[in-house]
Amino acid sequence: MSTHENPIQPSGSLLLAATPIGDIEDASPRLIRALAEAEVVAAEDTRRLLALASRLDVRINGKLVSLHDHNEAERAESVVDLAEGGARVLVVSDAGMPTVSDPGFRVVREAVRRGIRVSALPGPSAPITALAVSGLPSDRFAFEGFLPRKDGEARRYLHALASDPHTLIFFESAKRLNDTLVRMAEAFGGTRDAVVCRELTKTHEEIIRGDLNSLIATTAGEVLGEVTIVVAGFTGHGDALEYAEAVIALAQEGMRLKEAAVQVAQATGLRANDLFRAALRRKDEAQRGEDEETRENS
């Protein structure tokens, strides 16, 4: 148990604690104290937490319970019951701040509903770290987390964000990164600036800057590690040809080309007629390319 006379957390409260996203040395002294002093530790993965505690050379003296995406809905009330009963309850996820694309939101909401004190122990955060190093505007931003896994849903989600002026932050798996960048180029235009941040704070940290077209080319091969994507917000500038692929993509999902042009126009502020003509031009160019390839192979 900690030798401090005043525990870092008062009895009967909930404390959210950020854990390292890569480099173990990012663990704060307050996190180490909180792990030792908590009477209950709700962890996304108890085995990973015990491994972290071992590396930090700290002993977890309290009751250890699992709190993850698949059980939080049913376990939130019992976790808050422990705080309401007077326990110091610490909530941690595998990496970064709980509730930010991680478990913890339902527990916090239930604690707030009951009037239980909720506080946070700040620390590492992949979205904020990526935003800080991106070089993109950081005065207005939105964290979007992971995109829907189904292709059509992901495309529609991105098209809905095409005219959002905020800098946008996404999580993505390394395996899906290139496909996601392709969808983003279709929705936002290939010349939209973006940054891919891989393995933040780790030994092999890599930050790749450019527009979406160049990032697609750069990530065409094998990519490993944890990935965060930061995309510049819509500025109201650009020409119709940049968004022609977005119109065509919507049409390929079953929408009439003119209707697709209207939808992209609403998202980008461009004229629907210009987008419609640009999409026809792109389709004609693609058809001519296919015809030439057929002649060369015949």
Side-chain angles (χ1 to χ4, degrees), residues 16-19 21 91-93 95-103 120-126:
L16 309 175
T19 54
I21 60 175
V91 179
V92 294
S93 59
M97 179 62 75
T99 76
V100 181
S101 200
D102 276 330
L121 197 164
S125 169

Side-chain angles (χ1 to χ4, degrees), residues 111-128:
V112 170
R113 188 185 71 81
R114 298 195 205 178
I116 303 297
R117 175 173 174 171
V118 179
S119 57
L121 197 164
S125 169
I128 298 302

